[in-house]
Amino acid sequence: MEQNIILIGFMGSGKTTNGRRLARKLNMDFIDTDSLIEEKNKISIEEIFKRYGEKYFRKLENETILSLSNCKNKVISTGGGIILNNRNIDILKENGIVILLESSVDNICNNLKNSYKKRPLIQKKNWKEDVRILMKERKEIYENSADIIVNVDGKKHNQIVNEICCIIKERA
Ligand code: S3P
């Protein structure tokens, strides 16, 4: 396998957890774009938003994707907003297959209930409403950005990972 496997999807859809497991199973390296940004800038995503705002974060996000344009044979988990710049998706697609982990708002809210405060875009008291609004704005962009859509609702991690492995094998 030369191609990268790129996971996209809303916050809390399981990109990082499933990406890590997938990489282990396929014996590939794992990269998480949010972690790369944090390591490179020595500051948390939350702090970047607080100090410099979303626009600046999106610039760092795009630079990170550009820096990955030559990498191969990696599983790459992306931040939920990666699809907001279609250049990001174009770059990622040059060397890889883009898989959307699609999830319902209820499932997302359940997954985020202990960690929503760390997500700058949904930190408010009515965070579930923020999730609903953001999902409505983005759903179509996620779907249009994906080569493959995997629904993750009600599925265990190993089921999701196995499903992705089957899809990848079929395409090889
Ligand atoms: C964002 C998602 C986050 C992180 C940032 C913005 C978004 O990543 O990149 O808070 O715009 O959806 P996760 O999807 O890993 O939570």
Side-chain angles (χ1 to χ4, degrees), residues 54-111:
E54 180 175 356
K55 202 169 167 202
Y56 183 71
F57 172 74
R58 299 299 172 204
K59 185 173 160 277
L60 296 180
E61 198 171 42
N62 177 248
E63 282 168 13
T64 302
I65 297 299
L66 276 168
S67 76
L68 297 176
S69 58
N70 289 324
C71 80
K72 292 204 172 80
N73 207 30
K74 313 266 190 256
V75 174
I76 305 173
S77 289
T78 58
I82 211 83
I83 43 101
L84 298 177
N85 180 346
N86 51 18
R87 282 185 41 230
N88 289 339
I89 296 296
D90 290 345
I91 294 164
L92 289 166
K93 277 188 172 167
E94 275 173 26
N95 286 334
I97 169 168
V98 174
I99 301 180
L100 168 63
L101 301 188
E102 192 159 66
S103 185
S104 67
V105 167
D106 283 351
N107 197 42
I108 298 275
C109 288
N110 194 41
N111 291 346

Coordinates of all heavy atoms in Angstrom, one line a residue, residues 54-111:
E54 N -9.6 31.8 14.8 CA -9.8 30.7 13.9 C -9.1 30.8 12.5 O -8.5 29.9 12.0 CB -11.3 30.5 13.6 CG -11.6 29.3 12.7 CD -13.0 29.0 12.5 OE1 -13.9 29.6 13.1 OE2 -13.3 28.0 11.6
K55 N -9.1 32.1 12.0 CA -8.4 32.3 10.7 C -7.0 31.8 10.7 O -6.5 31.2 9.8 CB -8.6 33.7 10.3 CG -8.5 34.0 8.8 CD -8.9 35.4 8.5 CE -8.4 35.6 7.0 NZ -8.3 37.1 6.7
Y56 N -6.3 32.2 11.8 CA -4.9 31.9 11.9 C -4.7 30.3 12.1 O -3.8 29.7 11.4 CB -4.3 32.6 13.1 CG -2.8 32.3 13.3 CD1 -1.9 32.9 12.4 CD2 -2.3 31.5 14.3 CE1 -0.5 32.6 12.5 CE2 -1.0 31.3 14.5 CZ -0.1 31.8 13.6 OH 1.2 31.6 13.7
F57 N -5.6 29.7 12.8 CA -5.6 28.3 13.0 C -5.7 27.6 11.6 O -5.0 26.6 11.3 CB -6.7 27.8 13.9 CG -6.8 26.3 13.9 CD1 -5.8 25.5 14.6 CD2 -7.8 25.6 13.3 CE1 -5.9 24.1 14.6 CE2 -7.9 24.2 13.3 CZ -6.9 23.5 13.9
R58 N -6.7 28.1 10.8 CA -6.9 27.5 9.5 C -5.7 27.6 8.6 O -5.4 26.8 7.7 CB -8.1 28.2 8.8 CG -9.4 28.0 9.5 CD -9.9 26.6 9.6 NE -11.0 26.4 10.5 CZ -11.3 25.3 11.1 NH1 -10.6 24.2 11.1 NH2 -12.4 25.3 11.9
K59 N -4.9 28.7 8.8 CA -3.7 28.9 8.0 C -2.7 27.8 8.4 O -2.0 27.2 7.6 CB -3.2 30.3 8.3 CG -2.0 30.7 7.5 CD -1.6 32.2 7.7 CE -0.2 32.5 7.4 NZ 0.8 32.2 8.4
L60 N -2.5 27.6 9.7 CA -1.6 26.6 10.2 C -2.0 25.2 9.7 O -1.2 24.4 9.4 CB -1.6 26.6 11.8 CG -1.0 27.8 12.4 CD1 -1.1 27.6 14.0 CD2 0.4 28.1 12.0
E61 N -3.3 25.0 9.7 CA -3.9 23.7 9.3 C -3.5 23.5 7.8 O -3.1 22.4 7.5 CB -5.4 23.8 9.5 CG -6.1 22.4 9.5 CD -7.6 22.6 9.9 OE1 -8.2 23.5 9.4 OE2 -8.0 21.7 10.7
N62 N -3.7 24.5 7.0 CA -3.4 24.4 5.6 C -1.9 24.1 5.4 O -1.5 23.3 4.5 CB -3.9 25.6 4.8 CG -3.5 25.5 3.3 OD1 -2.7 26.3 2.9 ND2 -4.0 24.6 2.6
E63 N -1.0 24.8 6.1 CA 0.4 24.6 6.0 C 0.8 23.2 6.4 O 1.7 22.6 5.8 CB 1.1 25.6 7.0 CG 1.2 27.0 6.4 CD 1.7 28.1 7.4 OE1 2.2 27.7 8.5 OE2 1.5 29.2 7.1
T64 N 0.1 22.7 7.4 CA 0.4 21.3 7.8 C 0.0 20.3 6.7 O 0.8 19.4 6.4 CB -0.4 21.0 9.1 OG1 -0.1 21.9 10.1 CG2 -0.2 19.6 9.6
I65 N -1.1 20.5 6.1 CA -1.5 19.6 5.0 C -0.5 19.7 3.8 O -0.1 18.7 3.3 CB -2.9 20.0 4.5 CG1 -4.0 19.8 5.6 CG2 -3.3 19.2 3.2 CD1 -4.1 18.4 6.1
L66 N -0.1 21.0 3.5 CA 0.9 21.1 2.5 C 2.2 20.4 2.8 O 2.8 19.7 2.0 CB 1.3 22.6 2.3 CG 0.3 23.4 1.4 CD1 0.6 24.9 1.6 CD2 0.5 23.0 0.0
S67 N 2.6 20.4 4.1 CA 3.8 19.7 4.5 C 3.7 18.2 4.4 O 4.7 17.5 4.5 CB 4.2 20.1 6.0 OG 3.4 19.4 6.9
L68 N 2.5 17.7 4.3 CA 2.2 16.3 4.2 C 2.1 15.8 2.7 O 1.9 14.7 2.4 CB 1.0 15.9 4.9 CG 1.0 16.1 6.5 CD1 -0.4 15.7 7.1 CD2 2.1 15.2 7.1
S69 N 2.2 16.8 1.8 CA 1.9 16.5 0.4 C 2.7 15.4 -0.2 O 2.3 14.7 -1.2 CB 1.8 17.7 -0.5 OG 3.1 18.3 -0.4
N70 N 3.9 15.2 0.3 CA 4.8 14.1 -0.3 C 4.8 12.8 0.5 O 5.5 11.9 0.1 CB 6.2 14.6 -0.4 CG 6.4 15.7 -1.4 OD1 5.7 15.6 -2.5 ND2 7.2 16.7 -1.2
C71 N 4.0 12.8 1.6 CA 4.1 11.6 2.4 C 3.2 10.5 1.8 O 2.2 10.7 1.2 CB 3.9 11.8 3.9 SG 2.2 12.0 4.4
K72 N 3.7 9.2 2.1 CA 3.0 8.1 1.5 C 2.9 7.0 2.6 O 3.6 7.0 3.6 CB 3.8 7.5 0.4 CG 3.9 8.4 -0.8 CD 4.2 7.6 -2.1 CE 4.1 8.4 -3.3 NZ 5.3 9.3 -3.6
N73 N 1.9 6.1 2.4 CA 1.7 5.0 3.3 C 1.5 5.3 4.7 O 1.9 4.7 5.6 CB 3.0 4.1 3.2 CG 2.7 2.7 3.5 OD1 1.6 2.2 3.2 ND2 3.7 2.0 4.0
K74 N 0.7 6.4 4.9 CA 0.4 6.8 6.3 C -1.1 6.8 6.5 O -1.9 7.0 5.5 CB 0.8 8.3 6.5 CG 2.2 8.6 6.1 CD 3.2 8.4 7.3 CE 4.6 8.9 7.0 NZ 5.5 7.9 6.7
V75 N -1.5 6.6 7.7 CA -2.9 6.9 8.1 C -3.0 8.3 8.7 O -2.2 8.5 9.6 CB -3.5 5.8 9.1 CG1 -4.9 6.2 9.6 CG2 -3.5 4.4 8.5
I76 N -3.8 9.1 8.1 CA -3.8 10.5 8.5 C -5.2 10.9 9.1 O -6.2 10.8 8.3 CB -3.4 11.5 7.4 CG1 -2.1 11.1 6.7 CG2 -3.4 12.9 7.8 CD1 -1.7 11.9 5.5
S77 N -5.2 11.2 10.4 CA -6.5 11.7 10.9 C -6.4 13.3 10.9 O -5.4 13.9 11.3 CB -6.6 11.3 12.4 OG -6.9 9.9 12.4
T78 N -7.5 13.9 10.5 CA -7.6 15.3 10.3 C -8.5 16.0 11.3 O -9.3 15.3 11.9 CB -8.1 15.6 8.9 OG1 -9.4 15.0 8.7 CG2 -7.2 15.1 7.8
G79 N -8.3 17.3 11.5 CA -9.2 18.1 12.3 C -10.6 18.2 11.6 O -10.6 18.2 10.3
G80 N -11.6 18.3 12.3 CA -13.0 18.3 11.7 C -13.2 19.4 10.7 O -14.1 19.3 9.9
G81 N -12.4 20.5 10.7 CA -12.6 21.6 9.8 C -11.7 21.6 8.6 O -11.7 22.5 7.8
I82 N -11.1 20.5 8.4 CA -10.1 20.4 7.3 C -10.8 20.6 5.9 O -10.3 21.1 4.9 CB -9.4 19.0 7.3 CG1 -8.0 19.1 6.7 CG2 -10.1 17.9 6.6 CD1 -7.0 19.6 7.7
I83 N -12.1 20.2 5.9 CA -12.9 20.3 4.6 C -13.3 21.7 4.3 O -13.9 21.9 3.2 CB -14.2 19.4 4.8 CG1 -14.8 19.6 6.1 CG2 -13.8 17.9 4.6 CD1 -16.0 20.4 6.2
L84 N -13.1 22.7 5.2 CA -13.5 24.0 4.9 C -12.7 24.7 3.9 O -13.1 25.7 3.3 CB -13.5 24.8 6.2 CG -14.4 24.3 7.3 CD1 -14.2 25.2 8.6 CD2 -15.9 24.3 6.9
N85 N -11.5 24.1 3.6 CA -10.6 24.6 2.5 C -10.5 23.5 1.5 O -9.8 22.5 1.8 CB -9.3 25.1 3.1 CG -8.3 25.6 2.1 OD1 -8.5 25.4 0.9 ND2 -7.2 26.2 2.5
N86 N -11.1 23.7 0.3 CA -11.1 22.5 -0.6 C -9.7 22.2 -1.1 O -9.4 21.1 -1.6 CB -12.1 22.6 -1.7 CG -12.1 23.9 -2.4 OD1 -11.2 24.6 -2.3 ND2 -13.2 24.2 -3.1
R87 N -8.8 23.2 -1.0 CA -7.4 22.9 -1.4 C -6.8 21.8 -0.5 O -6.0 21.0 -0.9 CB -6.5 24.2 -1.3 CG -6.8 25.0 -2.5 CD -5.9 26.3 -2.6 NE -4.5 26.0 -2.2 CZ -3.8 26.8 -1.3 NH1 -4.4 27.8 -0.7 NH2 -2.6 26.5 -1.0
N88 N -7.2 21.8 0.8 CA -6.7 20.8 1.7 C -7.1 19.4 1.1 O -6.3 18.5 1.1 CB -7.3 20.9 3.1 CG -6.8 22.1 3.9 OD1 -5.7 22.6 3.5 ND2 -7.5 22.5 4.8
I89 N -8.3 19.3 0.7 CA -8.8 18.0 0.3 C -8.1 17.6 -1.1 O -7.7 16.4 -1.3 CB -10.4 18.0 0.1 CG1 -11.0 18.2 1.5 CG2 -10.9 16.7 -0.5 CD1 -10.8 17.1 2.5
D90 N -8.0 18.6 -1.9 CA -7.3 18.3 -3.2 C -5.9 17.7 -3.0 O -5.4 16.8 -3.6 CB -7.2 19.6 -4.1 CG -8.5 20.0 -4.6 OD1 -9.5 19.2 -4.5 OD2 -8.7 21.2 -5.0
I91 N -5.2 18.4 -2.0 CA -3.8 17.9 -1.7 C -3.8 16.5 -1.1 O -3.0 15.6 -1.6 CB -3.1 18.9 -0.7 CG1 -2.9 20.3 -1.4 CG2 -1.8 18.3 -0.3 CD1 -2.6 21.4 -0.4
L92 N -4.7 16.3 -0.2 CA -4.8 15.0 0.4 C -5.1 13.9 -0.6 O -4.6 12.7 -0.5 CB -5.8 15.0 1.6 CG -5.3 15.8 2.8 CD1 -6.5 16.1 3.8 CD2 -4.2 15.1 3.6
K93 N -6.0 14.2 -1.5 CA -6.4 13.2 -2.5 C -5.3 12.8 -3.5 O -5.4 11.8 -4.1 CB -7.7 13.7 -3.2 CG -8.9 13.5 -2.4 CD -10.2 13.8 -3.3 CE -11.4 13.4 -2.5 NZ -12.6 13.9 -3.1
E94 N -4.3 13.7 -3.7 CA -3.3 13.4 -4.6 C -2.6 12.1 -4.3 O -2.2 11.3 -5.2 CB -2.3 14.5 -4.7 CG -2.7 15.6 -5.6 CD -1.8 16.8 -5.6 OE1 -0.7 16.7 -5.2 OE2 -2.3 17.9 -5.9
N95 N -2.4 11.8 -3.0 CA -1.7 10.6 -2.5 C -2.5 9.7 -1.7 O -1.9 8.8 -1.1 CB -0.5 11.0 -1.7 CG 0.7 11.6 -2.5 OD1 0.8 11.3 -3.6 ND2 1.5 12.4 -1.8
G96 N -3.8 9.9 -1.7 CA -4.5 9.1 -0.7 C -6.0 9.0 -1.0 O -6.6 9.6 -1.9
I97 N -6.6 8.1 -0.2 CA -8.0 7.9 -0.3 C -8.7 8.5 0.9 O -8.2 8.3 2.1 CB -8.3 6.4 -0.4 CG1 -9.8 6.1 -0.2 CG2 -7.5 5.6 0.6 CD1 -10.1 4.6 -0.6
V98 N -9.7 9.3 0.7 CA -10.3 10.1 1.8 C -11.6 9.4 2.3 O -12.5 9.2 1.5 CB -10.6 11.5 1.3 CG1 -11.4 12.3 2.4 CG2 -9.4 12.3 1.0
I99 N -11.6 9.0 3.5 CA -12.7 8.3 4.1 C -13.4 9.1 5.1 O -12.8 9.6 6.1 CB -12.2 7.0 4.8 CG1 -11.5 6.1 3.7 CG2 -13.4 6.2 5.4 CD1 -11.0 4.8 4.3
L100 N -14.7 9.3 4.9 CA -15.5 10.1 5.9 C -16.1 9.2 6.9 O -16.7 8.2 6.6 CB -16.7 10.8 5.1 CG -17.8 11.4 6.0 CD1 -17.2 12.5 6.9 CD2 -18.9 12.0 5.1
L101 N -15.8 9.5 8.2 CA -16.5 8.8 9.3 C -17.8 9.6 9.6 O -17.7 10.6 10.2 CB -15.6 8.7 10.6 CG -14.3 8.0 10.4 CD1 -13.6 7.8 11.7 CD2 -14.4 6.6 9.7
E102 N -18.9 9.1 9.1 CA -20.1 9.8 9.2 C -20.9 9.4 10.4 O -20.9 8.2 10.8 CB -21.0 9.5 8.0 CG -22.2 10.5 7.9 CD -22.8 10.6 6.5 OE1 -23.3 9.6 6.0 OE2 -22.7 11.7 5.9
S103 N -21.4 10.4 11.1 CA -22.0 10.1 12.4 C -23.2 11.1 12.6 O -23.2 12.2 12.2 CB -21.0 10.3 13.5 OG -21.5 10.0 14.7
S104 N -24.2 10.6 13.4 CA -25.4 11.4 13.7 C -25.0 12.4 14.8 O -24.0 12.2 15.5 CB -26.5 10.5 14.2 OG -26.1 10.0 15.5
V105 N -25.8 13.5 14.8 CA -25.6 14.5 15.9 C -25.7 13.9 17.3 O -24.9 14.2 18.1 CB -26.6 15.7 15.7 CG1 -26.6 16.6 16.9 CG2 -26.3 16.5 14.4
D106 N -26.6 13.0 17.5 CA -26.8 12.4 18.8 C -25.5 11.6 19.2 O -25.0 11.7 20.3 CB -28.0 11.4 18.8 CG -29.3 12.1 18.9 OD1 -29.3 13.3 19.1 OD2 -30.3 11.5 18.7
N107 N -25.0 10.9 18.3 CA -23.8 10.1 18.5 C -22.6 11.0 18.8 O -21.8 10.8 19.7 CB -23.5 9.2 17.3 CG -22.5 8.1 17.6 OD1 -22.6 7.5 18.7 ND2 -21.6 7.8 16.7
I108 N -22.5 12.1 18.0 CA -21.4 13.0 18.2 C -21.5 13.7 19.6 O -20.5 13.7 20.3 CB -21.5 14.2 17.1 CG1 -21.4 13.7 15.7 CG2 -20.6 15.3 17.5 CD1 -20.0 13.5 15.2
C109 N -22.7 14.1 20.0 CA -22.9 14.7 21.3 C -22.5 13.8 22.4 O -21.9 14.1 23.4 CB -24.3 15.2 21.4 SG -24.6 16.6 20.4
N110 N -22.9 12.5 22.2 CA -22.6 11.5 23.2 C -21.0 11.4 23.4 O -20.5 11.3 24.5 CB -23.2 10.2 22.9 CG -23.2 9.2 24.0 OD1 -23.4 9.6 25.2 ND2 -22.9 8.0 23.7
N111 N -20.4 11.3 22.2 CA -18.9 11.2 22.2 C -18.2 12.4 22.8 O -17.1 12.3 23.3 CB -18.4 10.9 20.8 CG -18.8 9.5 20.3 OD1 -19.2 8.7 21.1 ND2 -18.7 9.3 19.0

